[in-house]
Amino acid sequence: MEKYEQYKRVFHRFDSNGDGKICPVELQRCVGSIGGEMTEEEAVAAVVLMDSDGDGLLCLDDFVRIVEGAGEEEKASDLKAAFKMYEMEGSGCITPKSLRRMLSRLGERKSVEQCTDMIAQFDLN
């Protein structure tokens, strides 16, 4: 609940006219205030995409969904980046050799057989 209250405070700060909604111009301004860049067209598109009641404005719940969704995107991106570090030459798979190579870079010495066993514990196919 504390996180929701934080979102609420941020929402009210971005709701510059105090109408309880964030319009595309306010969204564009808020993104700029945190160091991002968003064109007017992007702001309109974002509002249209996330607007749950079709009024062309973001309510607090829409805003919370955007903020929490961005966090999920970031997590997925981090996981993909970590996977790419372990995969072998863009094969889309983590092989025992590629796992061994990455572990050795991290100071962990494992045999190919040990790496095969590690992968087997998590490999679904």
Side-chain angles (χ1 to χ4, degrees):
M1 197 59 164
E2 184 177 317
K3 188 183 265 190
Y4 187 80
E5 289 301 316
Q6 290 173 341
Y7 292 152
K8 196 172 177 180
R9 281 197 308 272
V10 171
F11 177 85
H12 289 300
R13 177 168 290 161
F14 293 145
D15 177 20
S16 57
N17 65 1
D19 66 353
K21 302 275 187 157
I22 294 178
C23 69
V25 171
E26 289 169 323
L27 179 62
Q28 184 181 12
R29 226 180 281 135
C30 96
V31 169
S33 75
I34 58 172
E37 289 183 26
M38 179 179 271
T39 66
E40 186 177 340
E41 294 79 23
E42 290 169 331
V44 169
V47 169
V48 167
L49 185 66
M50 297 306 293
D51 176 19
S52 61
D53 63 6
D55 66 355
L57 303 167
L58 299 176
C59 66
L60 177 59
D61 290 339
D62 297 335
F63 180 76
V64 169
R65 272 200 331 278
I66 290 171
V67 172
E68 292 193 339
E72 291 305 312
E73 261 181 43
E74 196 173 301
K75 287 178 195 171
S77 176
D78 289 348
L79 281 173
K80 286 178 186 175
F83 182 85
K84 284 187 181 296
M85 288 174 47
Y86 285 85
E87 76 173 326
M88 185 70 121
E89 287 87 43
S91 67
C93 296
I94 297 174
T95 65
K97 284 183 182 179
S98 65
L99 178 59
R100 181 174 179 255
R101 184 184 69 227
M102 183 50 77
L103 289 174
S104 78
R105 287 181 186 168
L106 297 171
E108 286 283 324
R109 302 282 178 220
K110 300 287 182 190
S111 69
V112 172
E113 294 77 28
Q114 288 172 310
C115 291
T116 301
D117 291 343
M118 281 190 231
I119 291 171
Q121 291 178 16
F122 299 98
D123 190 12
L124 301 177
N125 61 0

